Every structure is written in C-alpha cells, then in structure tokens.
Amino acid sequence: MTTSARPTTPTRPGEVVLATVADVGEVVARARNRYAAGVLADTTGWTDGDRRRLEDLGFRGGDPRGAALRTLDLTIADDGTPTRLLDNPALASLNGEHARFAERRGEVARYLPDVSVWTGIPEHPTAEDWEDVRGLIGSGAVFGVGASVVVPEGWHTVEGSGGVQLTGESIEGTPDAEAVELTPDDVPEMTELVTRTKPGPFLPRTIELGRYVGVRREGRLIAMAGERLHPPGWTEISAVCTDEAFRGQGLGRRLVLDVAYGIRQRGEVPLMHAAAGNTGAIGLYQHLGFRLRDRGAPRFVQVP
C-alpha cells in the first residue's frame, strides 16, 4: 500500500517533495537531473516496508524537523565532497533560493533578463531541452553548461571564454569597518563603477540577489563586492571591483572577506567564479584561501 508523503514542516530551499512511495524512482531521477539539493518524504502512517524501501535507496531519518521525515541528500559530487550543486550553480539557485527570479521553459531556467545573465539546463539535457534553451534565450545567445553536459551537433563552445570556479571551505571572512551596505538607490553609481572596471555583468536588479557592500571616499563609491548565485548551502561572491585610482590598497581583498563573513554567519560557504585569463584575480582569491575546483570550470555555448 502506498500513502501520501506530504511534509508537515516547510521544505528547505532546493528540496523536492516526494508525494507517494510509488513515485520515488521518478522523483529522485528528476530531482537529480534538475540539481535539486535533496528529496523529502514525510512517512507518517507509512508501513515499515515502505520506510525500508526509502532507506534502501539512501533516504535517512533523524531530521530535526520531524522524526517521521526521511531525506535523500543530492549534494554529493563524484569526489565525495558536498559540491555537486556547483556543477550547475545557476539551475541549483533558480530551483531553490532564487526561484522568484526564474523564467522557465520546460526544465530549462534563466534569470529574469534585468537580474542576471545566467541560464541553467538539466544535467542530462534532451533534444527538447536544447530547443527550450533556444526558445528561452534566443539564437546567438551565450550560456554556461556543466562539466557533464554533452553539447549536441550544431551547438559549439565559444573559444576563449572559459572560466574557473573557486570554493572557500576554509574561508571564515572578516567584517570590514569601512564597508557600507549598498541599496537599490546606489545602483546607478554601482553600474557606473562596473562599466569602468569591467568585473562582469551587473544589471539593474542584480542587487536583489544578495548583500552588496562598498567603500566610499569623499562620498564617491570606489570599490564594491556582493552576492550573486545562491545554490543551497553556498553563496557566490561577485562584482568585485575597485576604481583604478585606488587599486593596490587591498580594497578588493577586504570586501571579499567582508562578504564572506556574512555568508559564513548564515552557515553557508562562499563560492567564486573568474575568467580563466584573469590570473591576477585568481591569484588573489587563492591567496585568501579559495581553491580551484576542476569540475566547476564552466564552458560557454552559443545558441545556433
């Protein structure tokens, strides 16, 4: 006999709900393909046999939200570290903390065009998924794909556009006394600083993705950094930039550590991306304690 398995407590961001034990194989496969953080089942009223079936599939109890809850963790990568969601941080974010910023077509999701340029596709995209990418972002658009994605014939990676991913498991961060919280009222000045320094895309609503901080001198914004992608358990530090006239004073390093401190205070781990050719930034982040993650090196594909 199968019974309803609807949770009596809220799910965590990126967690998929298992409705009945009969659905378990399909739900787990789809959740994994969509870079979900896990699958949750409330086994109140279930038979011992149904509970054992879940446990045989890797579901575990002991959840503080309820003794009857069983969860399957989908965050573990091939190397055994809890970094699998970083293989596609955009889709993991859009299916979790940032769902409110998502535009979707089938299993493909992108950020609203005034929020971020990132697009996420399933781990094993079908022909229909690739057509959904085309329909969602349009021919000629460029988007990132995970390490395991097989690009179909006619779709080509963009030469010279590779990047690196860095994780900060050992970073604790330090609050900075000069850092000030930036608000939507600061966006015009933030955009102007980004235009001059070119750290990467910063759009009119990017500030809504997380906490942004900056340094002002004589009232003028001269450096900033903030939070962007938010896969469950992780937060990306992005838009790290300093006005050319004030470089060499360690402002970028200080702001990265300030943002990292806020991330750690939430119990999450900082994450960063950088263009492969930006060796100066990569060297700085590694000096701070970030480590390169080989599997997280993004590839970029152009829609034909």
Side-chain angles (χ1 to χ4, degrees):
M1 180 181 73
T2 60
T3 56
S4 175
R6 303 192 181 282
T8 56
T9 56
T11 60
R12 296 189 177 104
E15 202 170 49
V16 173
V17 176
L18 174 65
T20 68
V21 72
D23 301 331
V24 62
E26 179 183 347
V27 170
V28 170
R30 187 174 181 216
R32 188 180 299 277
N33 199 35
R34 297 175 72 236
Y35 289 95
V39 180
L40 171 71
D42 184 347
T43 66
T44 302
W46 283 37
T47 66
D48 288 342
D50 283 344
R51 288 197 187 94
R52 281 196 297 272
R53 180 177 171 191
L54 289 186
E55 290 163 2
D56 288 344
L57 293 171
F59 282 77
R60 295 292 177 262
D63 194 291
R65 293 170 293 175
L69 295 183
R70 299 291 184 273
T71 55
L72 176 66
D73 183 3
L74 297 179
T75 67
I76 305 303
D78 291 344
D79 61 1
T81 58
T83 59
R84 180 176 181 274
L85 300 184
L86 304 189
D87 291 350
N88 194 326
L91 192 57
S93 300
L94 290 165
N95 287 333
E97 291 280 0
H98 286 169
R100 65 191 182 279
F101 299 115
E103 218 175 50
R104 302 180 187 276
R105 185 159 176 160
E107 295 296 320
V108 177
R110 64 168 288 180
Y111 279 90
L112 294 170
D114 59 351
V115 174
S116 178
V117 300
W118 284 79
T119 297
I121 67 173
E123 181 177 22
H124 302 294
T126 64
E128 183 179 1
D129 292 330
W130 289 106
E131 287 308 308
D132 284 339
V133 172
R134 192 197 309 271
L136 191 59
I137 65 176
S139 296
V142 175
F143 66 103
V145 298
S148 63
V149 171
V150 177
V151 178
E153 185 176 353
W155 296 62
H156 303 290
T157 56
V158 178
E159 295 296 329
S161 65
V164 298
Q165 186 181 74
L166 303 100
T167 58
E169 293 92 337
S170 66
I171 306 292
E172 293 301 326
T174 307
D176 191 275
E178 197 176 4
V180 295
E181 298 273 346
L182 300 175
T183 73
D185 291 339
D186 297 306
V187 166
E189 200 172 359
M190 297 167 75
T191 302
E192 194 270 337
L193 178 61
V194 166
T195 300
R196 294 200 317 272
T197 57
K198 301 185 181 351
F202 183 85
L203 303 175
R205 294 179 58 199
T206 299
I207 195 170
E208 297 178 29
L209 295 178
R211 172 177 174 264
Y212 279 78
V213 296
V215 171
R216 292 187 177 277
R217 298 279 170 83
E218 298 181 354
R220 178 187 172 203
L221 183 66
I222 61 165
M224 73 178 215
E227 301 173 354
R228 189 172 58 175
L229 298 180
H230 197 169
W234 301 81
T235 299
E236 180 198 22
I237 301 175
S238 182
V240 181
C241 56
T242 302
D243 185 285
E244 186 175 5
F246 295 88
R247 290 176 185 169
Q249 300 180 23
L251 295 176
R253 174 187 61 79
R254 287 165 47 193
L255 290 179
V256 167
L257 291 175
D258 183 276
V259 176
Y261 179 80
I263 293 168
R264 280 300 196 184
Q265 291 300 107
R266 297 197 302 265
E268 298 171 349
V269 184
L271 157 75
M272 300 194 77
H273 292 98
N278 193 352
T279 55
I282 295 169
L284 167 64
Y285 303 148
Q286 288 182 300
H287 180 73
L288 292 177
F290 286 87
R291 67 178 184 87
L292 285 171
R293 181 171 181 260
D294 292 338
R295 186 174 173 80
R299 297 174 294 152
F300 293 90
V301 176
Q302 186 169 36
V303 181

